Amino acid sequence: MPNNAITLLVVDSDPMLTRALVEELQRQGFAQVVQANDVASALQQLRQLPASLVLSEQNLSGSTGLALFEAMRSEEALADIPFVLMSSAMQRQDVQRAIQLGVRDLLVKPFTTQRLLERIQRSLQRDDLLVPPDQPASAERASILVVDDTPDNLQLLAGLFRDQFKVKLAHNGEKAIAICHSDNPPDLILLDVMMPDMDGFEVARRLRQHHASEHIPIIFVTALSDARSREQGLALGAVDYVFKPIDPTLLQLRVRNLMRYVEHRRQLQIDLDQLLELAALRADMLHLVSHDLLQPLTQCRATLHDLSQDAELNPTQKQQVQLATQGGQQMQELLEMASEQLSLEAGQRELRPESLRLNPLLRELIALLRQRYGDRGVEIQLETALGSSATVMADPGLCHALLYRVLKHAHSACPVGSQLSLVMIDESPVQVRLVLPTRPIQAKPLAAARALARAQGGDVQQDDDGPGCVIRVSLPRA
């Protein structure tokens, strides 16, 4: 789709930044770019003129970009509009929530126009979560821009940092701004104040009004040592104010400390992109399990059932059909468990806890297990304590899957001729203890059940108990 056929909505509470971003997008060929400064006005704009994509700052006046996205998801007409969230810093819980809800991309400020355009195109081209582009090499050296109208000062400052960082030079404000708004902006700026045509304060003011440079750290390096000038520089967003003549060692230490912050910000974008990629892979896996595998497996099981009713089958053929049916049943259980777990991780499965009595549920699961796999010569003993009326607060579907999974693994781990004992402890949390006459089973088979339990506020643990072991399933008491 050509850019002039795309409608973009830019949402930001800072009018200058919004205007700069809108103008930049229009220069890139997006003819339809509208703007809003809060959640209410953004929703009003979308209802009147649905956008192809929304670019929203996370920190909005009285609300957040994530709140805007959730409001859009609640309206059918707006629910499928791609959404890119921009922020200079985000809390981890907000990142996780954004990915679960389906935010197409998370952009850490500052970002270049090239990166912004790349993310817009990728978000518009995909129907599911964005698979982020290849990341820049993390080993690439950070860069410093030195801005001073005096050649000797440029060379002096450049010489202090060339061994550790890439150093760029600008002898006036216009060139400095052009470098900062390019596709390869600096990570830190050392900025003189007293320059002809445009002083350092005006340079800083303009940099703070553009998305590509608003968060680049600035250190003023100047002969203006009065308190008023220092206050003005810091008010413009500078992180430090250094007087000339400089102390080289002290300036190097200050720059080195600031570069730790720069590296953290750079790594944050890489981490967010990896989380987005993982979410996209999880969504693909969920589709594969739920549709591409479960549906044909269901058809195969139906065919096997029809075949088992054929009176002309000889005993050997009946046994083979029975074995194939059991294998299909086991495969379906594994896929259904994987689908439940992936849905939870992707935020597509909403928990609906309710009060459940464990005693009838466990009896039902034991009968189902015997029906599917026979008793295998293993007696399942329900202890007297299980007759109590203890109830748990859990999601019925997940609780059923959790307990069946644990019971099935415990049953299959017991040797022929042994006994599997179940005891329910009516405490808070409620516990179901499975006592096995065997050494602890491998942890991996219980991992999926543990994830389902923890999603509901419970847990699954296994203890060595001398000649045998105990599997403890805990769930919140109702």
Side-chain angles (χ1 to χ4, degrees), residues 17-31:
L17 288 172
T18 306
R19 183 169 60 254
L21 184 53
V22 168
E23 291 173 354
E24 181 62 40
L25 290 168
Q26 289 172 338
R27 280 194 293 270
Q28 299 300 323
F30 294 97

Side-chain angles (χ1 to χ4, degrees), residues 224-268:
L224 290 177
S225 58
D226 61 287
R228 187 169 179 273
S229 296
R230 184 173 185 272
E231 181 180 342
Q232 183 178 358
L234 296 176
L236 288 168
V239 296
D240 209 342
Y241 194 99
V242 177
F243 303 138
K244 294 178 180 179
I246 64 169
D247 181 328
T249 302
L250 185 58
L251 182 59
Q252 286 175 321
L253 288 173
R254 286 173 165 172
V255 168
R256 193 176 301 125
N257 289 338
L258 271 174
M259 281 303 184
R260 294 195 185 100
Y261 163 81
V262 169
E263 181 58 34
H264 170 75
R265 187 178 293 272
R266 181 185 298 180
Q267 186 61 44
L268 177 60

Side-chain angles (χ1 to χ4, degrees), residues 453-475:
R454 289 178 176 174
Q456 302 176 87
D459 204 354
V460 176
Q461 298 293 334
Q462 183 176 211
D463 299 321
D464 194 339
D465 186 27
C469 71
V470 176
I471 301 174
R472 292 179 291 108
V473 181
S474 61
L475 287 166

Side-chain angles (χ1 to χ4, degrees), residues 10 45 85 137 218 224 251 258 274-275 318 328 420 466:
V10 177
Q45 288 270 21
L85 193 62
I218 296 174
L224 290 177
L251 182 59
L258 271 174
Q274 289 174 344
L275 287 173
K318 288 183 178 181
L420 170 62

Side-chain angles (χ1 to χ4, degrees), residues 306-471:
D306 293 341
L307 184 59
S308 68
Q309 306 303 311
D310 190 342
E312 296 183 3
L313 293 179
N314 61 44
T316 301
Q317 291 170 331
K318 288 183 178 181
Q319 185 179 18
Q320 290 173 338
V321 170
Q322 183 180 8
L323 290 174
T325 301
Q326 289 182 352
Q329 177 65 46
Q330 291 176 343
M331 179 63 72
Q332 183 167 347
E333 290 172 2
L334 288 172
L335 292 175
E336 287 174 347
M337 178 66 70
S339 179
E340 289 280 8
Q341 188 169 348
L342 287 168
S343 296
L344 282 172
E345 292 173 354
Q348 298 180 13
R349 172 68 155 83
E350 183 179 351
L351 293 178
R352 296 182 176 87
E354 59 183 69
S355 180
L356 301 174
R357 291 184 60 221
L358 282 184
N359 186 33
L361 176 57
L362 285 168
R363 293 186 183 278
E364 174 189 339
L365 293 176
I366 291 170
L368 180 61
L369 184 69
R370 286 172 173 159
Q371 175 189 344
R372 290 177 174 176
Y373 302 106
D375 59 18
R376 292 186 57 256
V378 176
E379 180 186 358
I380 302 179
Q381 179 66 43
L382 302 180
E383 302 262 339
T384 304
L386 199 60
S388 69
S389 59
T391 57
V392 296
M393 184 61 67
D395 181 290
L398 295 186
C399 188
H400 185 284
L402 156 66
L403 293 173
Y404 180 78
R405 185 78 170 173
V406 174
L407 182 61
K408 177 174 174 279
H409 281 303
H411 182 254
S412 62
C414 292
V416 174
S418 64
Q419 176 179 292
L420 170 62
S421 299
L422 280 76
V423 180
M424 185 169 62
I425 310 299
D426 190 1
E427 298 177 346
S428 184
V430 174
Q431 283 192 22
V432 177
R433 295 185 181 181
L434 295 83
V435 183
L436 289 68
T438 182
R439 303 295 295 172
I441 63 178
Q442 294 182 356
K444 192 173 182 180
L446 293 178
R450 182 175 296 112
L452 293 179
R454 289 178 176 174
Q456 302 176 87
D459 204 354
V460 176
Q461 298 293 334
Q462 183 176 211
D463 299 321
D464 194 339
D465 186 27
C469 71
V470 176
I471 301 174

